[in-house]
């Protein structure tokens, strides 16, 4: 059965981006949040993004209106009943996802495909909350969704190959480059990125270089758009710490273990840009200053 209508659950940072690119890809989209206020906030952020595209001349005003016309916000789970594909982008907590998937499983026809945007939880485990493990997979988008070209498409040992192909085609229709991967915590990107970032913290701990020198080395020596400690401040130290712990738990390998300095900074509430302090001080966001950490 072709994917004709898309449901998105959660209209936060990721859900709003996913709803936007799905509507831009031509799909009618229903996006569900837990309150009217959050529905409105999510849709406003999409409108703002679309407005920017019109200002830049990459989208015409009539196209923007058509995209906006394909999006509908709701607080009612029942409104997702008619969707052929539902992408979940709610908080990264298994009990919340369990409750959602088992409710959706009862509500939706057997043909509906379920996809999670989780960064670290097991797709296989989530599939067990439903009676349709063959129609369950991962669609892992990147932040900001309208800008980042990649989507990791994750199959479990139970995912039907035809459903997997439909999900790959869906990713391509959204203008993304879908990559195939399997249900191992971290998938491809975080499997490679997380140990690299953690190693940068370890290098700092061991006095290999200062915050600025570590960041400049990877920018100027390897052509990375930003250094690993700046990147960590962007992603959030708390989020990275959480993901590293899950990956360490899965693989029991030292390279995934969060270094003590990272743990101390998370405990101190220095979570990066969003809290104003991480490896840099963002009192003046235009001019981040390296922190003194020893
Ligand atoms: N932030 C990132 O860079 C990133 C990247 C890739 C994947 N992810 C994953 O995407 C998911 C969402 O992350 P986010 O950063 O958008 O979080 P977020 O906090 O910005 O948004 C989550 C939203 O889900 C809503 N929500 C919670 N329970 C709900 C429910 N039952 N029904 C509808 N809405 C509900 C919340 O109100 C909130 O607005 C997580 O699984 C996360 O691991 C995040």
């Amino acid at each position: 059965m072709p994917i004709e209508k898309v449901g998105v659950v959660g209209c936060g940072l990721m859900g709003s981006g996913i709803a936007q690119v799905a509507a831009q890809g031509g799909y009618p989209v229903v996006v569900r949040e837990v309150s009217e206020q959050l529905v409105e906030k999510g849709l406003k952020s999409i409108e703002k993004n679309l407005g920017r595209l019109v200002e830049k001349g990459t989208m015409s005003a009539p196209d923007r209106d058509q995209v906006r016309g394909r999006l509908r916000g709701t607080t009612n789970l029942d409104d997702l009943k008619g969707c052929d594909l539902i992408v979940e982008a709610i908080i990264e907590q298994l009990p919340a996802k369990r409750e959602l998937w088992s409710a959706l499983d009862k509500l939706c026809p057997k043909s509906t495909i379920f996809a999670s945007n989780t960064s670290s939880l097991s797709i296989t485990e989530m599939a067990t909350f439903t009676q349709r493990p063959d129609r369950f997979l991962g669609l892992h988008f990147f932040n900001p969704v309208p800008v980042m070209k990649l989507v990791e498409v994750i199959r479990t040992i139970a995912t039907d190959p035809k459903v997997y192909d439909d999900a790959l085609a869906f990713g391509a229709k959204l203008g993304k480059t879908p990559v195939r991967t399997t249900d191992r915590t971290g998938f491809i990107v975080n499997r490679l990125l997380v140990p690299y970032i953690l190693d940068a913290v370890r290098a700092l701990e061991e006095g290999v270089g200062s915050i600025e020198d570590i960041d400049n080395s990877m920018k100027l020596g390897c052509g990375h758009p930003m250094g690993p400690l700046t990147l960590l401040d962007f992603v959030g130290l708390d989020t990275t710490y959480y993901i590293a712990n899950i990956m360490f738990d899965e693989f029991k390998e030292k390279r995934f273990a969060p270094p003590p300095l990272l743990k101390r900074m998370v405990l101190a509430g220095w979570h990066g840009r969003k809290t104003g302090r991480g490896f840099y001080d963002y009192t003046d966001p235009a001019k981040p200053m390296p922190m003194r950490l020893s």
Side-chain angles (χ1 to χ4, degrees), residues 120-137:
S120 57
L121 300 170
S122 162
I123 305 292
T124 311
E125 186 169 4
M126 271 186 262
T128 66
F129 306 151
T130 73
Q131 302 298 313
R132 64 186 81 204
D134 55 326
R135 303 189 75 73
F136 204 110
L137 42 76

Side-chain angles (χ1 to χ4, degrees), residues 9-15 32-34 38 88-92 97 100 117-119 140-141 143:
V9 196
C11 199
L13 195 64
M14 297 304 290
R32 194 251 180 167
E33 255 297 347
V34 288
L38 287 168
E88 167 272 312
I90 70 166
I91 43 168
E92 187 75 334
K97 305 224 191 223
L100 176 71
N117 184 51
T118 182
S119 301
H140 188 223
F141 291 87
N143 179 33

